Amino acid sequence: MSNRIVTISGVSSEDNHFLVKTNDFNVVISNSVSGESGEGPSPTDFLLAGFAGSINAVGLIVAKELGIELLSLEVEIVGELVTKKVEGKQTRSRAGFRKIEVVVKPVSNAPLVLLKEWIDTVKERCPLRDNLINTTPVVLTLLKEYNKHNAA
């Protein structure tokens, strides 16, 4: 497998949501930072959901490679989000999660030593875990909209 480019596009809607298009899917995200509006999943909900989904996807690949039969796999994630900076309050705290705790519950007849090898491999190969625990260069570019007909 080679490198793959992942592209999404999103736009704010009039009903306090952010509409995201990725591949052949549309996703609606609440405009609240951490779900305080109650109008659907927030960006932080989606981040943690994506992390859980990534653990699941990599977990299934690694289980197959190790010959482990997974009857089911549950991933629980709890993130403690620091909100002061988002709210514009003076703080030395980060603008994101202070900590994220993950509990992975596989249902399998595999011996514990093999499940330990499995979870260690999942941790090593999970791309979202890698991005959460390591610095990833992020380039954020502002592109001001303008009317092409009036620009000259």
Side-chain angles (χ1 to χ4, degrees):
M1 210 183 232
S2 60
N3 292 349
R4 181 170 174 255
I5 302 298
V6 178
T7 304
I8 66 106
S9 175
V11 63
S12 286
S13 68
E14 295 175 11
D15 60 353
N16 200 32
H17 289 96
F18 190 65
L19 307 174
V20 176
K21 294 181 186 280
T22 176
N23 299 325
D24 296 326
F25 302 100
N26 295 328
V27 178
V28 178
I29 302 174
S30 166
N31 277 341
S32 66
V33 173
S34 61
E36 64 275 1
S37 73
E39 295 185 16
S42 70
T44 52
D45 295 332
F46 272 99
L47 178 82
L48 295 183
F51 186 19
S54 185
I55 290 168
N56 177 72
V58 174
L60 295 175
I61 292 168
V62 173
K64 186 175 181 180
E65 292 172 358
L66 296 176
I68 297 173
E69 181 183 0
L70 290 178
L71 304 173
S72 72
L73 179 57
E74 182 178 348
V75 180
E76 293 178 357
I77 300 182
V78 175
E80 182 180 336
L81 185 65
V82 179
T83 60
K84 287 181 182 178
K85 190 169 278 189
V86 172
E87 296 164 356
K89 297 177 183 171
Q90 288 290 352
T91 181
R92 286 188 273 184
S93 297
R94 298 178 57 185
F97 287 105
R98 190 174 80 76
K99 71 176 174 180
I100 298 172
E101 295 179 1
V102 182
V103 177
V104 180
K105 302 176 184 177
V107 176
S108 175
N109 293 325
L112 186 56
V113 67
L114 187 55
L115 289 174
K116 175 76 170 102
E117 178 184 351
W118 169 78
I119 196 64
D120 287 345
T121 305
V122 170
K123 286 189 321 190
E124 180 184 317
R125 290 172 47 182
C126 178
L128 269 70
R129 179 180 179 274
D130 182 86
N131 282 118
L132 287 168
I133 66 172
N134 294 302
T135 302
T136 301
V138 176
V139 177
L140 194 148
T141 303
L142 171 66
L143 178 62
K144 179 162 179 358
E145 297 270 340
Y146 66 96
N147 185 335
K148 289 182 185 178
H149 301 292
N150 294 335

